[in-house]
Amino acid sequence: MTDTRKSADYILAKLQGVTKMYSQPDHYDILVLDDINLTIFKGQFVALLGPSGSGKSTLLRIVTGLSQPSFGTVLYRGRPVTRPNPRAAMVFQSFALYPWLTVQQNVELGLTAKGIPLAERRQKALRLIDLIGLNGYEEAFPKELSGGMRQRVGFARALAVDPELLCMDEPFSALDFLTAENLRSELLDLWLDDKISLQSILMVTHGIEEAVYMADRIIVLSTNPARIVADLAVNLPHPRNRKSSDFIYLVDHVYKIVTAGDRPPHSPLNLVPSRLQDPESEDRAQLKPIPYGHLSMLSGLLELVSDRGGRDDLYRLGSELLLEVDGLLPVTDTAELFHLATVAEGDLILTEQGRQFAEVDVSARKQIIRRELLNIPLFRLILRVLSAKTNHAMSKDFFTDILEEHFSQDQAERQLALAINWARFADLFHYDTDSELLYLADDQLAEAGDWDTAVR
Ligand code: ADP
Ligand code: MG
């Protein structure tokens, strides 16, 4: 990047108090973006980092004018953005190519929309196809291309319109490791060499390393709802060395911010306003989302940390378990929920119960999880209902309906599926896929007396 571009500090886009709510069929409004204030300067490569579901794509759509905020404004070069911004282009994770169009036709699309004459269009598309390393494939259809080549078409299409602002929504995450690595460095070359007209890049990612490797600035978003929790400059020179101590330090630093973020792990703060006027039972009123942690992963994680003396750095753990922060957080949230570990300053620290868990056999582990599940409102509710019924069975829909009072339909189904999975592990209740019934078997029922006194 030339010095002028780097030092140019005027504003390309500015978000003021951008707030986005989605209304749900059940009258809840979900607050997705909460008061986002962000200025994007010319010459910057900005990475937006946050867990999935935090609202990154929503924010990107709002910046490009594809979607409007509920409150607040987006200014582009000082003017309010009220429709899709022709000076911004988008690259999608899923490539979003038209299967019935050739590579060349896909690249020409944006130019056609702009009314650029055929000859000029042709020439421009060919130049971009060449630049992005796809020459020879002009007449190919997307299905004949590998994922990496399809994403090259995605880049060429976005760059063909000479955008000032390139928005990318997890553009490398659908690609295999080597292909992604290749494309990252090629895109960086294009950006740094000034071969293209770009003024700024805004890239959504959930990869911390990717952000530190590519961006000049990293914006960290919290989730439920998304707020900006950190705004960091990355001043490392390109090409960046992932093994350098500065790089590792910064990755670790961002990791701490992401894991410590003002994330309210088990509270549905994104539901406004609350509509719990039917507190038939306390458990129903206290329903909170359970984190999407897999128990096998939980066991693996705790064993690993136990081997390390009961405490280890989350970032290191994540990379050893080949997990992005996205994949690791639900597991550490689950460990916290079960009182097996706590997270502090980017480290995972086992509790006494966590140390035990790591050492005992599977049946003892089931006992620990079982005890913990009995304290979680969702499981108490299910057990109460099942033991109150004479046949000790109840349809899955009954519970999804209850959950849908608190969560979106999609989330309600995922929550219940996860609850069933955990309950199976802990032998708390059964689920029959054919009849779609949750039920208590005789031995489970025999123990129901215990839990009933235990939870009351
Ligand atoms: P990310 O890109 O960070 O994964 P998204 O911006 O896609 O997150 O979504 C953020 C939240 O907003 C999610 O909970 C999602 O379910 C919700 N959401 C996104 N789009 C809509 C929509 N059109 N209607 C209702 N909810 C939506
Ligand atoms: Mg997204």
Side-chain angles (χ1 to χ4, degrees):
M1 197 184 312
T2 62
D3 283 333
T4 45
R5 198 156 84 175
K6 192 151 197 166
S7 63
D9 62 349
Y10 71 87
I11 296 170
L12 196 62
K14 188 166 185 147
L15 281 69
Q16 295 172 315
V18 166
T19 297
K20 181 76 177 180
M21 288 150 93
Y22 285 115
S23 49
Q24 296 283 106
D26 61 7
H27 306 299
Y28 280 109
D29 278 349
I30 295 190
L31 178 61
V32 177
L33 303 176
D34 187 20
D35 192 23
I36 305 285
N37 293 287
L38 175 64
T39 302
I40 297 166
F41 296 98
K42 197 176 161 187
Q44 271 184 343
F45 186 145
V46 182
L48 275 176
L49 190 69
S52 67
S54 56
K56 302 180 299 295
S57 299
T58 304
L59 190 58
L60 212 55
R61 281 200 301 275
I62 289 176
V63 170
T64 54
L66 292 171
S67 159
Q68 292 297 315
S70 310
F71 306 105
T73 46
V74 178
L75 300 175
Y76 189 83
R77 290 185 178 276
R79 296 215 186 87
V81 174
T82 53
R83 61 189 179 92
N85 181 350
R87 289 180 165 168
M90 181 86 110
V91 176
F92 299 93
Q93 175 185 6
S94 55
F95 319 136
L97 304 179
Y98 290 95
W100 60 88
L101 298 182
T102 63
V103 165
Q104 166 127 16
Q105 287 165 334
N106 267 292
V107 174
E108 280 181 29
L109 266 185
L111 302 170
T112 315
K114 278 192 159 180
I116 292 173
L118 182 77
E120 193 183 329
R121 222 158 68 200
R122 279 283 117 89
Q123 203 188 10
K124 200 150 190 191
L126 287 175
R127 193 177 63 81
L128 255 310
I129 288 170
D130 192 34
L131 188 70
I132 214 84
L134 275 175
N135 30 349
Y137 290 93
E138 292 82 356
E139 298 311 313
F141 288 93
K143 68 171 190 301
E144 302 171 72
L145 305 178
S146 67
M149 286 160 87
R150 284 184 214 172
Q151 193 56 304
R152 282 171 194 272
V153 181
F155 279 114
R157 183 181 57 192
L159 296 174
V161 297
D162 292 327
E164 290 178 338
L165 176 63
L166 180 65
C167 292
M168 309 194 287
D169 194 349
E170 310 199 23
F172 308 106
S173 60
L175 304 174
D176 66 75
F177 179 79
L178 282 178
T179 309
E181 198 56 11
N182 242 324
L183 264 183
R184 275 184 207 115
S185 59
E186 286 183 39
L187 180 77
L188 271 177
D189 285 348
L190 282 177
W191 164 245
L192 298 168
D193 288 356
D194 266 340
K195 275 185 205 142
I196 41 182
S197 64
L198 284 184
Q199 302 289 340
S200 296
I201 297 183
L202 185 57
M203 176 177 76
V204 157
T205 177
H206 61 255
I208 294 174
E209 267 202 41
E210 179 171 283
V212 174
Y213 184 68
M214 301 186 78
D216 308 318
R217 182 179 171 199
I218 300 177
I219 309 283
V220 182
L221 295 175
S222 63
T223 187
N224 289 347
R227 298 193 184 107
I228 294 179
V229 293
D231 185 346
L232 307 157
V234 185
N235 292 317
L236 308 175
H238 287 283
R240 292 179 183 161
N241 176 0
R242 287 192 165 88
K243 300 216 160 71
S244 77
S245 55
D246 286 348
F247 191 95
I248 293 169
Y249 172 83
L250 196 55
V251 168
D252 205 47
H253 181 63
V254 178
Y255 212 91
K256 282 179 184 150
I257 293 169
V258 172
T259 51
D262 70 346
R263 141 188 84 97
H266 315 305
S267 77
L269 278 184
N270 58 333
L271 300 179
V272 288
S274 170
R275 208 180 50 130
L276 302 168
Q277 75 278 62
D278 175 29
E280 169 207 312
S281 89
E282 225 179 289
D283 291 333
R284 190 191 264 243
Q286 287 175 355
L287 281 183
K288 291 170 178 176
I290 51 178
Y292 295 103
H294 281 284
L295 296 180
S296 55
M297 193 64 91
L298 179 72
S299 298
L301 180 71
L302 293 177
E303 283 166 22
L304 191 59
V305 178
S306 172
D307 278 352
R308 304 257 161 89
R311 174 172 188 148
D312 201 6
D313 184 86
L314 274 175
Y315 171 61
R316 193 162 78 193
L317 289 167
S319 52
E320 283 171 13
L321 294 166
L322 298 176
L323 285 175
E324 294 279 9
V325 64
D326 238 25
L328 188 60
L329 281 187
V331 188
T332 60
D333 281 350
T334 309
E336 289 192 295
L337 178 69
F338 293 156
H339 303 104
L340 298 169
T342 54
V343 173
E345 296 178 333
D347 283 358
L348 189 72
I349 307 158
L350 297 192
T351 60
E352 188 46 44
Q353 173 156 269
R355 287 172 188 273
Q356 280 174 18
F357 186 93
E359 278 160 23
V360 296
D361 65 6
V362 178
S363 75
R365 286 182 182 179
K366 283 175 191 259
Q367 285 305 318
I368 294 175
I369 301 291
R370 194 186 148 78
R371 240 186 0 248
E372 290 295 332
L373 293 183
L374 291 175
N375 289 318
I376 299 173
L378 173 58
F379 292 88
R380 287 154 56 130
L381 173 76
I382 294 174
L383 286 175
R384 244 183 246 285
V385 171
L386 295 181
S387 59
K389 294 266 313 244
T390 43
N391 65 351
H392 307 301
M394 189 51 117
S395 75
K396 181 177 138 212
D397 286 350
F398 173 85
F399 296 108
T400 349
D401 282 350
I402 293 180
L403 286 170
E404 277 180 31
E405 290 174 23
H406 302 260
F407 310 118
S408 70
Q409 187 186 349
D410 182 50
Q411 203 185 3
E413 274 167 22
R414 285 179 65 201
Q415 286 279 314
L416 191 63
L418 182 65
I420 289 172
N421 184 297
W422 286 4
R424 278 178 168 160
F425 176 83
D427 201 21
L428 201 58
F429 54 80
H430 288 290
Y431 174 65
D432 179 65
T433 340
D434 292 335
S435 60
E436 301 201 327
L437 286 175
L438 282 71
Y439 65 96
L440 289 172
D442 288 344
D443 53 334
Q444 292 169 330
L445 196 58
E447 289 185 46
D450 300 343
W451 72 261
D452 210 28
T453 38
V455 298
R456 267 173 215 280

